[in-house]
Amino acid sequence: MEKILNYIDGKLIEPASQKYLDNFEPALGTVYSQIPDSDATDVELAAISASKAFRSWSNTPKEKRSAILYRISELILENLEELALAESRDNGKPVSLAKKVDIPRAAHNFRFYSTAIIHFASESHSMEGGVINYTLRKPIGIAGCISPWNLPLYLFSWKIAPALAAGNCVVAKPSEITPMSAFLLSKICIKAGLPPGVLNIVHGLGHKVGSAISSHPNIPIISFTGGTKTGETIAKIAAPMFKKLSLELGGKNPNIIFADCNYEKMLDTTIKSSFANQGQICLCGSRIFVERPIYERFKKDFVEATKKLKVGDPKADTTNQGALVSQVHHEKVLSYIELAKTEGGKILAGGLPLDLSHEGLNGWFLQPTIIEGLPYNCRTNQEEIFGPVVTIMPFDQEEEVLMYANSTQYGLASTIWTQDLSRAHRMADQIHAGIVWINTWLLRDLRTPFGGVKNSGVGREGGFEALTFFTEPKNVCIQF
Ligand code: NAD
């Protein structure tokens, strides 16, 4: 059985403990590889190697850093098939989705930051009396990057690429549930000529490896993507150490559909925004609010289209939905469906686990689920489920739906469907969310700042914003 290894000081090595954890394939429900059960000792080794590499990497000309990052992006694309299969085996997502979205986007992240760093400029302000103020932007040192399982390489590279481009060294931890593509990335980095110690990848559990990274005294900057509770734990450790923190956390995103929308486009996109990646994208719209005049029509068409989604073998090209990421997560999502029933919800589609054992698939499948009849403020409509489960409800007034939309502790993303330009702008202005999509979903220029408000996080990733985050400003004031 394949053993994943840590990537420390440019080498692939075993964890200090010599212990390993099982890595499950969600579609089959069986173990397919072993992952290092690393701990603080491995993080210490990684931090030492990163700090040894920092002086040289931070002084490496931008063009050279850029060329290495660009080469990594090329190698990711050259290894697209292998990486997509690895992501699917780790995560349960359709291989076709990983091939189309996850892996190209991971390559794009490296490509984007390889060029962004060349164009990144700092500011200068002149004052009367012969005074110039200018801001130097210096790499900080070692960045700790911790990422989740839902878009494994995509989100991992979204942190690592800007941190490295800005001249930092990195100690990174992928999710223990989806470690394989990060392992393949370490091989790619070796091949691309990334100097030893510049990027270190330590595999293992959150409370061991993640917490050793967040509490390490020589890792002054933490970029985390994951659950809101974990973000809170990390903030409690990192804040008193005055670490620079970026937290990209959970969501409970509204999808608001007005009667004047482009109906076909809305319906097609709403299927995707509800169930893509088994609903396990932080940006999925899990609360669907529909203006009353089209509510019954939407309900009928949406249920019909959802029932047509093919749930099955992630390796088959015809599969729309694969398996949920783990047994624990499967149970959690099912428990929310049970909760919804006790709260008065009516299941319009799905609601049940899917037994595909006759196809040799003994993993964690779930029918895409639509629930109606729940009040906006019940737990099902307030807590993040993070699975193929959406609620639908009608509304009459703009103010009413704004109140529903803004009623949760979260504020990550939102979608609005309307042809009324003024209303679109009005709603965008009033919604509490870091991202507002109007008549589209998941479309994004990587130059824009990305992140949530309220309990969906603090700090912004993306564009030059991330390069600003991964550097520290030093203001110099000179009078001549
Ligand atoms: P999680 O919080 O359980 O784990 C995320 C990472 O943190 C993993 O690598 C995990 O090992 C690590 N971790 C766990 N405990 C830790 C600790 N005490 N200290 C340090 N690290 C620790 O999240 P998950 O279940 O992997 O991912 C799903 C969550 O991520 C959802 O809430 C989803 O909304 C969120 N998410 C947010 C975004 C965003 O951009 N805002 C993107 C994707 C996912």
Side-chain angles (χ1 to χ4, degrees), residues 10-66:
K11 292 184 274 298
L12 300 174
I13 59 170
E14 303 220 36
S17 68
Q18 303 275 319
K19 288 191 194 135
Y20 286 82
L21 305 161
D22 288 338
N23 186 24
F24 283 85
E25 186 164 354
L28 303 183
T30 51
V31 175
Y32 91 100
S33 58
Q34 300 278 307
I35 155 171
D37 184 6
S38 313
D39 54 32
T41 313
D42 305 279
V43 171
E44 183 58 27
L45 271 182
I48 290 170
S49 114
S51 104
K52 262 192 334 203
F54 178 64
R55 179 192 274 265
S56 164
W57 182 248
S58 56
N59 286 307
T60 299
K62 283 176 186 170
E63 278 74 11
K64 185 156 181 216
R65 293 205 301 260
S66 164

Side-chain angles (χ1 to χ4, degrees), residues 455-466:
N455 292 4
S456 290
V458 289
R460 285 293 178 272
E461 300 195 335
F464 289 135
E465 206 95 16

Side-chain angles (χ1 to χ4, degrees), residues 178-458:
T178 53
M180 190 57 93
S181 51
F183 177 49
L184 297 176
L185 177 71
S186 36
K187 294 183 182 175
I188 285 174
C189 290
I190 294 171
K191 212 166 161 188
L194 191 69
V198 171
L199 169 64
N200 303 274
I201 300 178
V202 185
H203 293 273
L205 300 169
H207 69 271
K208 288 189 187 175
V209 178
S211 125
I213 293 174
S214 7
S215 60
H216 198 288
N218 295 337
I219 303 182
I221 176 162
I222 303 286
S223 171
F224 169 79
T225 300
T228 296
K229 268 272 153 235
T230 317
E232 191 184 314
T233 307
I234 290 174
K236 275 188 191 148
I237 295 170
M241 298 175 82
F242 308 109
K243 295 192 180 205
K244 208 170 176 187
L245 266 182
S246 164
L247 302 173
E248 300 294 342
L249 310 176
K252 188 77 180 172
N253 310 310
N255 177 5
I256 302 169
I257 301 167
F258 285 94
D260 69 343
C261 67
N262 174 336
Y263 189 82
E264 296 310 322
K265 184 177 178 203
M266 175 281 296
L267 188 64
D268 190 49
T269 310
T270 295
I271 287 288
K272 296 191 183 90
S273 67
S274 303
F275 302 121
N277 205 40
Q278 296 73 244
Q280 301 165 147
I281 301 181
C282 54
L283 305 167
C284 277
S286 53
R287 296 178 295 148
I288 305 176
F289 303 109
V290 187
E291 205 176 9
R292 200 172 301 273
I294 61 162
Y295 182 76
E296 288 304 324
R297 177 183 173 203
F298 171 80
K299 178 168 130 181
K300 180 175 162 290
D301 293 344
F302 185 51
V303 168
E304 206 174 288
T306 299
K307 286 183 174 167
K308 280 193 194 139
L309 289 174
K310 169 99 178 75
V311 184
D313 186 356
K315 294 189 184 78
D317 282 344
T318 48
T319 295
N320 303 113
Q321 273 205 213
L324 266 62
V325 76
S326 67
Q327 186 169 12
V328 173
H329 191 59
H330 191 246
E331 282 163 10
K332 176 192 149 185
V333 176
L334 281 169
S335 77
Y336 268 102
I337 295 174
E338 286 313 306
L339 172 72
K341 289 186 203 158
T342 65
E343 289 182 322
K346 181 174 165 205
I347 310 291
L348 300 178
L352 294 169
L354 204 61
D355 181 2
L356 296 175
S357 53
H358 56 283
E359 294 180 34
L361 303 168
N362 294 305
W364 305 298
F365 295 91
L366 178 62
Q367 294 171 333
T369 300
I370 306 171
I371 307 170
E372 89 167 333
L374 289 168
Y376 76 92
N377 55 357
C378 67
R379 281 185 55 203
T380 310
N381 268 329
Q382 293 289 315
E383 297 176 15
E384 187 184 45
I385 300 174
F386 214 55
V389 178
V390 296
T391 61
I392 61 171
M393 77 183 274
F395 70 89
D396 296 295
Q397 304 288 333
E398 222 175 278
E399 302 72 46
E400 176 196 2
V401 77
L402 264 172
M403 190 271 282
Y404 296 159
N406 290 339
S407 67
T408 74
Q409 58 166 313
Y410 297 109
L412 187 53
S414 56
T415 311
I416 300 163
W417 291 95
T418 180
Q419 297 293 96
D420 180 334
L421 190 63
S422 300
R423 173 159 62 196
H425 286 297
R426 216 165 38 236
M427 294 288 293
D429 181 61
Q430 295 293 314
I431 281 189
H432 301 157
I435 306 153
V436 182
W437 278 295
I438 299 166
N439 300 332
T440 185
W441 176 72
L442 211 62
L443 199 59
R444 216 164 67 74
D445 187 319
L446 296 194
R447 289 171 297 186
T448 57
F450 173 90
V453 299
K454 302 199 283 188
N455 292 4
S456 290
V458 289

